Amino acid sequence: MQLKFFPLSPLLLALGLTGCQITNNQNDSAQLESNNNTVIETCSDIHTDAEAIADCELAKDGVFDVIHPNDDELEDEASITDTPDIYTQAVVTDVWERASANFQLTVPDDPRVATQRKWYLKHPEYMARVVKRAKPFLYYIVEEIEKREMPMELVLLPIVESAFDPFAYSHGRAAGMWQFIPGTGKRFGMEQTWWYDGRRDIIASTQGALDYLTYLNNMFDGNWLHALAAYNSGEGRVLRAIRTNKRAGKPTDFWNLNLPKETRAYVPKLLALADILKNKDDYAFLWPEVENVAVIEVVDIGSQVDLAFAAELAGMSLKELHGLNPGFNRWATSPEGPHRLVLPLEKAAAFSQALAKIDQKERLNWVRHTVKSGDSLIKIAKQYHTTVNVIKQVNELDSSMIRVGQAIMVPVALQELDSYSLSQDQRLASLQNRPSSKQQVRHTVQSGDTLWDIARKYKVSTKQLAKWNGMAPGDMLHPGKSLVVWLEGKSANGVTKQLTYTVRNGDSLSRIASKFNVKVADISKWNSLNTKRYLQPGQKLKLYVDVTRLSSSG
């Protein structure tokens, strides 16, 4: 692929582009981040046998359902996790074996542990999926836990929280492998901006999780079971339960505390996993091995970079790179940082050397936008899928005032936006456009709308509506947001997909509408356009297209 970049004035050379709870269930109204290209694995999805479904529901009592990217959409990660030939074989060849040799927690003979252990033992295919997700990051996490001399059982916590999925989210607005809600994520160093969500960043979230667990362990005088319970339900709730038992003269160990149902099963899940891993031979359980060697390296990139450009420079697919760097929400890394990328170990050195030869201005693609009547920085930023702060910084603007005829430089994605399949927008689009036998209706949010109002209008539940759109039932809606509603009835065999169309010379709204069999009014609504304004070559338009009608129309 040939890369083309707009020539820049020297003032851009020195600019650093700026702009861009853990599942803490204390706040039951906590809301879900709208993340993902996702599927929710319910017990009825996984099993058909009534007994198996009952076992599954019992085992799932411990944690909230989380939503995962469809594994079929993700490329096989073997190509990015193979062990480099330069390594000699370690004494302990399996990182899981290394971890289990350093377990510290006692596993009691308790019915709650037995219930969770029974479920895991009956479902080895679940562990195979989990280990596949964990493989690129496991060695790094074990190393970090070891450095802090913390119980190695903590390496199993992402299994309980998210099934080791950095794109997972729960209905409590918890996101990432370690499942932080927004407030706790910020409290422990995870920035959350339009460009970047540190809760999904493997490095930031792992450091934050271990910091939080250390804090909780200190709060509970070294009692790790109390700390783990607090990680799930909040320190305040566990402290209150301990005080209540003390006043009543009851034991204050975890097993005797009156805690929420999900927390009472949460700690047993972790202990059951530890017991199975430690004694997998006795249980005749196939726990997939992961080589006990480093397979990733963190590379300092120094500035914002287009992910497609970085992937090409590293000799990787865009999906592979984004899979290792799930914290980035958009088509580029954040202009405010962190200025780093996680890369396969064998590719890191060559990438760093190649990147060092490329000027920072050439790490992004640029367009020159001439301000028209009615333009604003907000409108221009939305048009090119960037932020006002970035445009102001690049163009050295002290305020948001712009004038007609003014030329403004704007960074834009190197590839079509739908090529960035793991970006937040594309994951949501994939979720909303999953094939279904039902009829799809799109609802554009109006000022004052709530999920409850919309659900009532279409006679569906708020839970269904939230699930279809990667949200939580209590999430705030913004005017102009497009929601998918699936209604009973025939879909007329149509398959609606979201496409990103790049405006070309000579294009008009009517010409584009005719080409894709949609209405001019719909294109305007989907993109908040003024129909009296001319389109600009290079402008990106979001379209919802029935691809069956598109193919039949040529």
Side-chain angles (χ1 to χ4, degrees):
M1 178 180 66
Q2 184 177 4
L3 306 180
K4 295 182 179 179
F5 301 97
F6 202 101
L8 302 179
S9 62
L11 67 90
L12 294 174
L13 301 181
L15 290 178
L17 304 183
T18 56
C20 60
Q21 135 166 13
I22 288 171
T23 307
N24 180 333
N25 304 322
Q26 278 183 289
N27 183 356
D28 292 334
S29 65
Q31 302 160 5
L32 170 70
E33 296 297 309
S34 59
N35 287 341
N36 295 335
N37 160 23
T38 56
V39 287
I40 299 180
E41 289 184 341
T42 64
C43 291
S44 57
D45 290 334
I46 302 171
H47 309 289
T48 54
D49 179 76
E51 181 183 358
I53 292 174
D55 284 345
C56 175
E57 294 292 354
L58 184 62
K60 287 165 71 71
D61 279 345
V63 292
F64 290 143
D65 281 340
V66 294
I67 304 177
H68 306 287
N70 188 338
D71 285 338
D72 292 338
E73 297 289 329
L74 300 177
E75 295 180 354
D76 188 349
E77 292 173 334
S79 63
I80 60 172
T81 57
D82 286 342
T83 305
D85 292 336
I86 60 172
Y87 282 94
T88 56
Q89 191 175 47
V91 175
V92 179
T93 59
D94 177 15
V95 71
W96 290 117
E97 182 182 346
R98 171 185 172 186
S100 65
N102 292 284
F103 283 174
Q104 300 177 22
L105 305 181
T106 301
V107 180
D109 183 11
D110 184 273
R112 283 181 277 176
V113 176
T115 297
Q116 303 301 334
R117 180 169 52 224
K118 177 183 177 183
W119 188 89
Y120 287 123
L121 290 174
K122 287 177 67 174
H123 299 94
E125 74 286 350
Y126 171 80
M127 194 57 61
R129 291 199 304 273
V130 168
V131 173
K132 181 179 178 181
R133 293 190 191 116
K135 194 174 181 182
F137 314 118
L138 188 63
Y139 181 90
Y140 167 77
I141 295 172
V142 167
E143 286 275 299
E144 295 305 306
I145 294 173
E146 214 169 58
K147 287 176 187 175
R148 298 175 184 234
E149 299 182 347
M150 299 170 79
M152 195 52 73
E153 286 91 342
L154 299 180
V155 75
L156 303 169
L157 200 57
I159 301 179
V160 179
E161 287 287 351
S162 67
F164 257 105
D165 182 1
F167 290 107
Y169 66 90
S170 79
H171 74 248
R173 294 184 77 198
M177 181 185 296
W178 295 93
Q179 289 288 282
F180 278 90
I181 65 170
T184 309
K186 290 179 181 176
R187 182 178 158 199
F188 286 91
M190 280 150 275
E191 294 297 322
Q192 295 149 57
T193 68
W194 188 82
W195 293 97
Y196 168 79
D197 190 337
R199 298 174 301 159
R200 292 200 310 271
D201 182 316
I202 302 305
I203 307 303
S205 66
T206 298
Q207 296 300 325
L210 298 185
D211 287 345
Y212 187 38
L213 286 162
T214 299
Y215 165 83
L216 291 171
N217 184 56
N218 291 334
M219 172 178 282
F220 292 101
D221 300 322
N223 189 314
W224 277 107
L225 298 194
H226 286 166
L228 288 164
Y231 188 98
N232 175 252
S233 64
E235 54 258 43
R237 181 169 283 162
V238 177
L239 287 169
R240 287 194 297 274
I242 291 172
R243 285 197 298 267
T244 298
N245 276 25
K246 280 183 177 179
R247 286 196 296 267
K250 296 179 180 179
T252 58
D253 60 281
F254 166 80
W255 307 100
N256 284 283
L257 296 181
N258 182 19
L259 294 169
K261 181 180 179 181
E262 64 269 13
T263 308
R264 292 199 304 271
Y266 177 89
V267 172
K269 279 179 177 288
L270 182 77
L271 295 177
L273 285 166
D275 182 48
I276 294 170
L277 179 55
K278 184 75 172 178
N279 302 290
K280 62 181 185 295
D281 291 339
D282 294 338
Y283 290 118
F285 185 82
L286 183 60
W287 191 299
E289 294 185 0
V290 175
E291 283 194 277
N292 186 32
V293 293
V295 292
I296 58 172
E297 183 171 322
V298 180
V299 176
D300 182 4
I301 56 176
S303 68
Q304 188 181 31
V305 62
D306 188 308
L307 291 173
F309 172 73
E312 182 167 316
L313 201 63
M316 303 169 62
S317 74
L318 179 53
K319 186 175 289 186
E320 285 175 334
L321 180 67
H322 215 158
L324 290 176
N325 297 274
F328 296 116
N329 292 332
R330 310 295 169 181
W331 50 270
T333 63
S334 170
E336 292 184 334
H339 296 310
R340 64 171 180 243
L341 284 174
V342 175
L343 294 175
L345 187 63
E346 69 274 17
K347 296 180 182 293
F351 174 86
S352 295
Q353 292 170 8
L355 187 67
K357 299 175 183 177
I358 298 172
D359 195 284
Q360 290 187 10
K361 73 177 186 297
E362 295 183 347
R363 299 176 183 184
L364 297 171
N365 204 27
W366 302 85
V367 297
R368 184 190 298 274
H369 177 92
T370 302
V371 177
K372 304 289 192 303
S373 178
D375 271 351
S376 68
L377 287 186
I378 292 175
K379 186 174 183 180
I380 295 169
K382 185 174 182 180
Q383 176 179 330
Y384 293 107
H385 300 275
T386 185
T387 59
V388 170
N389 285 343
V390 166
I391 296 175
K392 290 174 69 175
Q393 183 75 10
V394 168
N395 293 276
E396 295 187 327
L397 301 176
D398 295 326
S399 71
S400 296
M401 297 294 294
I402 52 177
R403 65 182 186 278
V404 174
Q406 182 177 355
I408 291 177
M409 299 301 300
V410 186
V412 295
L414 182 65
Q415 296 184 10
E416 296 290 344
L417 292 180
D418 30 9
S419 299
Y420 301 79
S421 60
L422 293 182
S423 70
Q424 182 175 327
D425 289 342
Q426 292 307 312
R427 283 183 281 116
L428 177 59
S430 180
L431 170 64
Q432 290 181 327
N433 292 305
R434 290 175 61 202
S436 174
S437 60
K438 296 182 179 181
Q439 178 185 2
Q440 185 193 77
V441 175
R442 284 203 171 260
H443 177 93
T444 301
V445 176
Q446 306 298 317
S447 179
D449 273 354
T450 66
L451 278 182
W452 187 84
D453 294 329
I454 299 168
R456 189 179 180 190
K457 174 181 178 179
Y458 293 102
K459 297 181 174 58
V460 299
S461 71
T462 55
K463 185 176 181 180
Q464 284 178 308
L465 187 59
K467 175 182 173 181
W468 293 331
N469 293 280
M471 304 175 67
D475 268 354
M476 182 180 297
L477 294 176
H478 299 284
K481 181 178 178 65
S482 179
L483 298 180
V484 163
V485 185
W486 293 101
L487 301 177
E488 296 295 338
K490 294 183 179 179
S491 64
N493 296 320
V495 180
T496 301
K497 298 287 187 183
Q498 177 180 312
L499 304 178
T500 302
Y501 179 77
T502 303
V503 176
R504 297 174 173 83
N505 284 322
D507 271 346
S508 66
L509 285 178
S510 60
R511 179 177 294 180
I512 296 169
S514 176
K515 179 176 182 177
F516 291 100
N517 289 307
V518 297
K519 298 177 181 178
V520 169
D522 286 335
I523 298 177
S524 301
K525 181 174 62 178
W526 295 330
N527 297 277
S528 302
L529 298 177
N530 181 345
T531 55
K532 297 180 181 179
R533 298 285 311 285
Y534 290 109
L535 297 174
Q536 299 292 321
Q539 184 175 347
K540 309 287 186 181
L541 295 179
K542 178 170 57 180
L543 305 177
Y544 296 101
V545 176
D546 183 339
V547 294
T548 57
R549 293 178 62 202
L550 181 64
S551 59
S552 63
S553 67

PDB file of all heavy atoms in Angstrom, residues 401-416:
ATOM      1  N   MET A 401     -12.941  30.241  17.435  1.00  0.00           N
ATOM      2  CA  MET A 401     -13.414  31.140  16.380  1.00  0.00           C
ATOM      3  C   MET A 401     -12.675  30.842  15.070  1.00  0.00           C
ATOM      4  O   MET A 401     -11.444  30.786  15.032  1.00  0.00           O
ATOM      5  CB  MET A 401     -13.186  32.597  16.781  1.00  0.00           C
ATOM      6  CG  MET A 401     -13.975  33.027  18.015  1.00  0.00           C
ATOM      7  SD  MET A 401     -15.754  33.035  17.731  1.00  0.00           S
ATOM      8  CE  MET A 401     -15.896  34.344  16.516  1.00  0.00           C
ATOM      9  N   ILE A 402     -13.427  30.634  14.002  1.00  0.00           N
ATOM     10  CA  ILE A 402     -12.854  30.443  12.680  1.00  0.00           C
ATOM     11  C   ILE A 402     -13.623  31.327  11.696  1.00  0.00           C
ATOM     12  O   ILE A 402     -14.751  31.744  11.967  1.00  0.00           O
ATOM     13  CB  ILE A 402     -12.911  28.975  12.219  1.00  0.00           C
ATOM     14  CG1 ILE A 402     -14.333  28.413  12.342  1.00  0.00           C
ATOM     15  CG2 ILE A 402     -11.928  28.121  13.003  1.00  0.00           C
ATOM     16  CD1 ILE A 402     -14.484  26.992  11.845  1.00  0.00           C
ATOM     17  N   ARG A 403     -13.014  31.596  10.532  1.00  0.00           N
ATOM     18  CA  ARG A 403     -13.646  32.499   9.572  1.00  0.00           C
ATOM     19  C   ARG A 403     -13.773  31.797   8.211  1.00  0.00           C
ATOM     20  O   ARG A 403     -12.988  30.905   7.864  1.00  0.00           O
ATOM     21  CB  ARG A 403     -12.843  33.781   9.420  1.00  0.00           C
ATOM     22  CG  ARG A 403     -11.467  33.584   8.814  1.00  0.00           C
ATOM     23  CD  ARG A 403     -10.662  34.871   8.712  1.00  0.00           C
ATOM     24  NE  ARG A 403      -9.420  34.670   8.000  1.00  0.00           N
ATOM     25  CZ  ARG A 403      -8.316  34.175   8.548  1.00  0.00           C
ATOM     26  NH1 ARG A 403      -8.302  33.849   9.839  1.00  0.00           N
ATOM     27  NH2 ARG A 403      -7.222  34.031   7.807  1.00  0.00           N
ATOM     28  N   VAL A 404     -14.769  32.225   7.480  1.00  0.00           N
ATOM     29  CA  VAL A 404     -15.003  31.670   6.140  1.00  0.00           C
ATOM     30  C   VAL A 404     -13.768  31.899   5.272  1.00  0.00           C
ATOM     31  O   VAL A 404     -13.190  32.987   5.262  1.00  0.00           O
ATOM     32  CB  VAL A 404     -16.246  32.333   5.508  1.00  0.00           C
ATOM     33  CG1 VAL A 404     -16.409  31.869   4.061  1.00  0.00           C
ATOM     34  CG2 VAL A 404     -17.498  32.005   6.305  1.00  0.00           C
ATOM     35  N   GLY A 405     -13.357  30.854   4.572  1.00  0.00           N
ATOM     36  CA  GLY A 405     -12.191  30.925   3.701  1.00  0.00           C
ATOM     37  C   GLY A 405     -10.895  30.505   4.366  1.00  0.00           C
ATOM     38  O   GLY A 405      -9.887  30.276   3.689  1.00  0.00           O
ATOM     39  N   GLN A 406     -10.912  30.376   5.686  1.00  0.00           N
ATOM     40  CA  GLN A 406      -9.709  29.980   6.428  1.00  0.00           C
ATOM     41  C   GLN A 406      -9.361  28.522   6.103  1.00  0.00           C
ATOM     42  O   GLN A 406     -10.238  27.662   6.013  1.00  0.00           O
ATOM     43  CB  GLN A 406      -9.956  30.159   7.926  1.00  0.00           C
ATOM     44  CG  GLN A 406      -8.765  29.819   8.815  1.00  0.00           C
ATOM     45  CD  GLN A 406      -9.081  30.095  10.291  1.00  0.00           C
ATOM     46  OE1 GLN A 406     -10.150  30.626  10.615  1.00  0.00           O
ATOM     47  NE2 GLN A 406      -8.156  29.741  11.156  1.00  0.00           N
ATOM     48  N   ALA A 407      -8.088  28.234   5.907  1.00  0.00           N
ATOM     49  CA  ALA A 407      -7.628  26.861   5.644  1.00  0.00           C
ATOM     50  C   ALA A 407      -7.202  26.228   6.963  1.00  0.00           C
ATOM     51  O   ALA A 407      -6.409  26.797   7.712  1.00  0.00           O
ATOM     52  CB  ALA A 407      -6.476  26.862   4.661  1.00  0.00           C
ATOM     53  N   ILE A 408      -7.728  25.057   7.223  1.00  0.00           N
ATOM     54  CA  ILE A 408      -7.447  24.346   8.476  1.00  0.00           C
ATOM     55  C   ILE A 408      -6.923  22.958   8.148  1.00  0.00           C
ATOM     56  O   ILE A 408      -7.488  22.250   7.308  1.00  0.00           O
ATOM     57  CB  ILE A 408      -8.719  24.240   9.340  1.00  0.00           C
ATOM     58  CG1 ILE A 408      -9.120  25.621   9.858  1.00  0.00           C
ATOM     59  CG2 ILE A 408      -8.522  23.289  10.513  1.00  0.00           C
ATOM     60  CD1 ILE A 408     -10.395  25.621  10.667  1.00  0.00           C
ATOM     61  N   MET A 409      -5.828  22.572   8.777  1.00  0.00           N
ATOM     62  CA  MET A 409      -5.276  21.231   8.611  1.00  0.00           C
ATOM     63  C   MET A 409      -5.934  20.284   9.606  1.00  0.00           C
ATOM     64  O   MET A 409      -6.066  20.598  10.785  1.00  0.00           O
ATOM     65  CB  MET A 409      -3.770  21.240   8.830  1.00  0.00           C
ATOM     66  CG  MET A 409      -2.997  22.127   7.856  1.00  0.00           C
ATOM     67  SD  MET A 409      -3.245  21.652   6.128  1.00  0.00           S
ATOM     68  CE  MET A 409      -2.633  19.966   6.148  1.00  0.00           C
ATOM     69  N   VAL A 410      -6.349  19.118   9.098  1.00  0.00           N
ATOM     70  CA  VAL A 410      -7.050  18.147   9.944  1.00  0.00           C
ATOM     71  C   VAL A 410      -6.440  16.758   9.725  1.00  0.00           C
ATOM     72  O   VAL A 410      -6.297  16.321   8.577  1.00  0.00           O
ATOM     73  CB  VAL A 410      -8.553  18.090   9.608  1.00  0.00           C
ATOM     74  CG1 VAL A 410      -9.282  17.188  10.589  1.00  0.00           C
ATOM     75  CG2 VAL A 410      -9.165  19.482   9.604  1.00  0.00           C
ATOM     76  N   PRO A 411      -6.074  16.040  10.820  1.00  0.00           N
ATOM     77  CA  PRO A 411      -5.604  14.656  10.654  1.00  0.00           C
ATOM     78  C   PRO A 411      -6.783  13.735  10.366  1.00  0.00           C
ATOM     79  O   PRO A 411      -7.851  13.869  10.965  1.00  0.00           O
ATOM     80  CB  PRO A 411      -4.979  14.336  12.020  1.00  0.00           C
ATOM     81  CG  PRO A 411      -5.706  15.219  12.978  1.00  0.00           C
ATOM     82  CD  PRO A 411      -6.071  16.469  12.225  1.00  0.00           C
ATOM     83  N   VAL A 412      -6.604  12.821   9.433  1.00  0.00           N
ATOM     84  CA  VAL A 412      -7.674  11.890   9.058  1.00  0.00           C
ATOM     85  C   VAL A 412      -7.112  10.476   8.978  1.00  0.00           C
ATOM     86  O   VAL A 412      -5.909  10.264   8.852  1.00  0.00           O
ATOM     87  CB  VAL A 412      -8.309  12.271   7.697  1.00  0.00           C
ATOM     88  CG1 VAL A 412      -9.016  13.607   7.780  1.00  0.00           C
ATOM     89  CG2 VAL A 412      -7.255  12.287   6.595  1.00  0.00           C
ATOM     90  N   ALA A 413      -8.040   9.509   9.046  1.00  0.00           N
ATOM     91  CA  ALA A 413      -7.639   8.108   8.995  1.00  0.00           C
ATOM     92  C   ALA A 413      -7.023   7.768   7.644  1.00  0.00           C
ATOM     93  O   ALA A 413      -7.486   8.229   6.598  1.00  0.00           O
ATOM     94  CB  ALA A 413      -8.838   7.205   9.270  1.00  0.00           C
ATOM     95  N   LEU A 414      -5.983   6.940   7.679  1.00  0.00           N
ATOM     96  CA  LEU A 414      -5.296   6.532   6.455  1.00  0.00           C
ATOM     97  C   LEU A 414      -6.168   5.610   5.615  1.00  0.00           C
ATOM     98  O   LEU A 414      -6.171   5.668   4.392  1.00  0.00           O
ATOM     99  CB  LEU A 414      -3.992   5.825   6.819  1.00  0.00           C
ATOM    100  CG  LEU A 414      -3.097   5.352   5.682  1.00  0.00           C
ATOM    101  CD1 LEU A 414      -2.576   6.539   4.902  1.00  0.00           C
ATOM    102  CD2 LEU A 414      -1.932   4.532   6.233  1.00  0.00           C
ATOM    103  N   GLN A 415      -6.934   4.738   6.268  1.00  0.00           N
ATOM    104  CA  GLN A 415      -7.801   3.797   5.569  1.00  0.00           C
ATOM    105  C   GLN A 415      -9.262   4.139   5.841  1.00  0.00           C
ATOM    106  O   GLN A 415      -9.573   4.971   6.696  1.00  0.00           O
ATOM    107  CB  GLN A 415      -7.512   2.356   6.021  1.00  0.00           C
ATOM    108  CG  GLN A 415      -6.112   1.877   5.684  1.00  0.00           C
ATOM    109  CD  GLN A 415      -5.908   0.416   6.050  1.00  0.00           C
ATOM    110  OE1 GLN A 415      -6.842  -0.306   6.384  1.00  0.00           O
ATOM    111  NE2 GLN A 415      -4.655  -0.030   5.992  1.00  0.00           N
ATOM    112  N   GLU A 416     -10.176   3.464   5.129  1.00  0.00           N
ATOM    113  CA  GLU A 416     -11.599   3.623   5.410  1.00  0.00           C
ATOM    114  C   GLU A 416     -11.850   3.241   6.866  1.00  0.00           C
ATOM    115  O   GLU A 416     -11.243   2.303   7.397  1.00  0.00           O
ATOM    116  CB  GLU A 416     -12.423   2.716   4.490  1.00  0.00           C
ATOM    117  CG  GLU A 416     -12.317   3.057   3.018  1.00  0.00           C
ATOM    118  CD  GLU A 416     -13.018   4.367   2.669  1.00  0.00           C
ATOM    119  OE1 GLU A 416     -13.832   4.840   3.491  1.00  0.00           O
ATOM    120  OE2 GLU A 416     -12.741   4.916   1.597  1.00  0.00           O
TER     121      GLU A 416
END
